[in-house]
Amino acid sequence: MLDQFSNGDISEEAFEESFVDSLTQVSAVGKAAATDLATAAMGLIGELTEARQAIRTQHAELAARANVVIGADNQSALADRIMEILADASEACGCQAAVLYTLDDDTSELQIRAAHGLPESRLTAGPRPLQGARGDLEAMVKNVVTIDDLNFGPLDTWNAPEPAAAAICAVVSCDDVPMGTLWFFAEETKHFGPADVALARLAARSVATELANAVPDPFATPASVSVTADTSVSTGVSSSVSSSVSSSVSTGKTPNADRAKNDIRDVAQWQFQGLPIGTEIAEDWKVDGMIESPNDYAIGWHTWDVLPDGSIQMAIAEAVQADITGAMSATVARAAMAAHSGYRHTPSQMLSRIGDTLWQTSLGEQLMSMMYVRVDPETGEGEMASAGLMTAMIASRLGYRPVVTGKSDPLCSHIDTQSVQETFRLMKGETLLAYSPGFLTGGINHTAIGCMLHDAMKSGDTSPLAAIRRSLAKQPLSCERGASALVRI
């Protein structure tokens, strides 16, 4: 009954009536108490459904290897399009389930990213090793592998990721570089013919196209982005906008409103294309970042690198002005940091130089909140400088402690930068989290963020930032949220 209600097969009224009747029949629970229990159960099921939807959307983003798929609607649309491909292809080749797996950055593990015909709880499963996965390895060599009987013979040499009687495995690749594999599973043994092989290959190519288009092409021009309807769908532009722009291109007259939308979209694509992807930046050190914006553009950024002296550099910034002017100021600040990173500096010197650049460009009040961190990967000793509203804390499975409270003047508010400087030491099993004031909305405070980070570390999660993002998935996105996390494994 719970599964039927959570899947939408029965109405709330029918579920509540059946739930109350079953409780009153098998126990001494009164009808009023049973009704309260049924209401609570429906609330829990609703929360579970929302959490599963958030996981499905985020897995689609991760499959696209993008920090952010531009726009909240586009995030869900990407997941929906991939699910449609999996559903249609599995039905066409006579299979009951289809699953997309993507390779990690080290090409050593495969993580499930989308599934049709399997319980949604499978999306929370951990990665599986590529080594020994015969079906995936052969598909990466032969493009498509068919297995008519997975149970044939005394030994399971195929090492299929899901229990099934027959399966097809196709490689998902972009420019001949494998991104992952697409599996189709059948409940009964069957002979897969050339048509099934062609369908699997076509589905894998369609998924690869969706994932590639989710990360905007930095060399695309406004015309190439908006002329065709297919491109407009993959980039999240509505059909009506695409049609008007296509018509205006053919007539040589582009309306100002459409031109402005194209320009903003190009800015957004350029911004998100330049954001780094979470990775293991040094041995036993992982770094990750995120930006969620209610707009098509961002007013913040994050970056990290290994400096010539071997120390780890991490920075996060966000403009005070939450409009396109703020996005331009953030671009100036990022360019200034890139220019000043080539020679020896301390965190406070870096902020001072970036502040000087913002002040000297004379483009108005380019107020910027920014935090700059340097860590010695051998000892875990680090130092940071912060200006503005950026907050930092360190957490482990034992608890959390604040490092910077985010209550100082932003860059460019004075001719001489006034930053807050702190030193710290990051032990094994600890995480340094730096985040913007956008996290503190909807009743969320620093204590709540600290508890989320602590819970993630206590559970052994090596991607605590992803855990925090899942916890905030139901919070309204009224302003931009940006964060970076440095984990010592």
Side-chain angles (χ1 to χ4, degrees):
M1 183 66 69
L2 285 173
D3 290 338
Q4 289 177 327
F5 175 68
S6 61
N7 293 330
D9 297 333
I10 61 174
S11 64
E12 290 188 15
E13 293 78 8
F15 169 77
E16 183 174 354
E17 182 179 353
S18 176
F19 191 84
V20 171
D21 290 343
S22 64
L23 283 177
T24 55
Q25 290 173 7
V26 302
S27 66
V29 178
K31 188 165 185 178
T35 302
D36 291 339
L37 286 173
T39 302
M42 288 189 291
L44 289 173
I45 292 172
E47 292 181 5
L48 176 62
T49 302
E50 291 178 1
R52 285 177 173 174
Q53 174 64 22
I55 291 174
R56 186 173 73 95
T57 301
Q58 290 165 5
H59 271 297
E61 286 189 69
L62 292 171
R65 291 294 195 274
N67 296 78
V68 177
V69 177
I70 303 172
D73 293 339
N74 294 345
Q75 295 172 359
S76 180
L78 173 63
D80 292 340
R81 290 196 300 271
I82 292 177
M83 289 296 294
E84 287 179 6
I85 294 172
L86 268 57
D88 293 344
S90 60
E91 182 179 357
C93 62
C95 293
Q96 288 72 50
V99 187
L100 170 66
Y101 301 89
T102 60
L103 286 165
D104 64 354
D105 292 333
D106 297 328
T107 63
S108 61
E109 293 180 328
L110 289 157
Q111 174 68 54
I112 185 171
R113 295 304 184 192
H116 165 74
L118 294 181
E120 292 187 356
S121 58
R122 285 292 293 124
L123 288 176
T124 62
R128 58 188 178 91
L130 179 61
Q131 184 177 7
R134 177 187 169 190
D136 302 273
L137 291 169
E138 285 201 16
M140 291 180 185
V141 175
K142 300 179 180 179
N143 290 328
V144 180
V145 173
T146 59
I147 311 169
D148 296 342
D149 188 356
L150 279 168
N151 301 316
F152 180 76
L155 297 176
D156 179 14
T157 61
W158 290 104
N159 197 12
E162 303 292 337
I168 304 176
C169 182
V171 65
V172 178
S173 60
C174 181
D175 296 330
D176 295 328
V177 177
M179 302 166 64
T181 54
L182 182 60
W183 280 82
F184 298 94
F185 300 102
E187 297 175 352
E188 299 179 355
T189 58
K190 61 174 298 182
H191 174 68
F192 293 108
D196 299 315
V197 173
L199 276 169
R201 183 184 295 111
L202 182 61
R205 288 177 179 172
S206 298
V207 170
T209 300
E210 290 291 349
L211 299 182
N213 287 341
V215 183
D217 181 4
F219 300 105
T221 62
S224 65
V225 171
S226 57
V227 166
T228 66
D230 290 339
T231 306
S232 68
V233 171
S234 63
T235 54
V237 184
S238 67
S239 299
S240 60
V241 172
S242 176
S243 300
S244 62
V245 173
S246 178
S247 174
S248 63
V249 169
S250 63
T251 59
K253 298 179 180 179
T254 304
N256 292 334
D258 292 339
R259 182 182 302 153
K261 291 179 180 179
N262 289 338
D263 292 342
I264 292 176
R265 188 175 66 245
D266 291 340
V267 169
Q269 291 175 349
W270 177 81
Q271 284 181 321
F272 290 120
Q273 184 73 16
L275 290 173
I277 297 173
T279 185
E280 184 173 349
I281 195 169
E283 186 177 359
D284 296 331
W285 290 85
K286 290 184 64 177
V287 65
D288 198 4
M290 62 163 280
I291 290 181
E292 291 181 327
S293 175
N295 303 309
D296 284 338
Y297 55 86
I299 58 171
W301 49 267
H302 53 261
T303 187
W304 47 76
D305 202 353
V306 176
L307 296 174
D309 62 359
S311 61
I312 298 173
Q313 168 203 77
M314 185 178 80
I316 179 172
E318 184 178 285
V320 173
Q321 289 181 275
D323 53 20
I324 196 67
T325 303
M328 296 171 64
S329 298
T331 302
V332 174
R334 185 168 185 179
M337 179 179 161
H340 295 306
S341 295
Y343 41 89
R344 184 179 290 275
H345 59 271
T346 64
S348 59
Q349 288 173 341
M350 174 60 76
L351 290 194
S352 294
R353 292 165 183 169
I354 295 174
D356 290 342
T357 301
L358 292 171
W359 188 275
Q360 293 167 5
T361 51
S362 300
L363 296 178
E365 289 190 349
Q366 300 187 88
L367 301 180
M368 184 74 54
S369 293
M370 182 172 177
M371 182 178 293
Y372 184 88
V373 181
R374 283 186 61 176
V375 179
D376 185 342
E378 297 295 330
T379 64
E381 295 181 350
E383 53 182 339
M384 69 171 62
S386 176
L389 304 178
M390 292 294 174
T391 303
M393 63 175 65
I394 294 176
S396 68
R397 60 183 181 85
L398 301 177
Y400 69 92
R401 62 185 187 274
V403 182
V404 173
T405 58
K407 295 180 180 178
S408 59
D409 294 331
L411 294 178
C412 210
S413 56
H414 305 282
I415 189 170
D416 295 322
T417 299
Q418 301 175 6
S419 61
V420 176
Q421 295 144 46
E422 295 289 346
T423 59
F424 61 92
R425 185 170 185 177
L426 208 60
M427 308 295 290
K428 287 189 176 181
E430 290 188 330
T431 294
L432 170 66
L433 175 68
Y435 56 95
S436 70
F439 277 77
L440 308 177
T441 58
I444 301 296
N445 55 25
H446 295 297
T447 301
I449 299 296
C451 291
M452 293 177 194
L453 184 59
H454 172 222
D455 291 341
M457 300 304 295
K458 189 165 58 175
S459 66
D461 197 331
T462 58
S463 299
L465 190 56
I468 293 175
R469 189 177 183 187
R470 289 193 294 269
S471 299
L472 296 174
K474 294 186 292 183
Q475 293 292 327
L477 189 61
S478 57
C479 56
E480 185 167 305
R481 293 196 289 247
S484 290
L486 182 63
V487 184
R488 188 176 188 186
I489 304 172

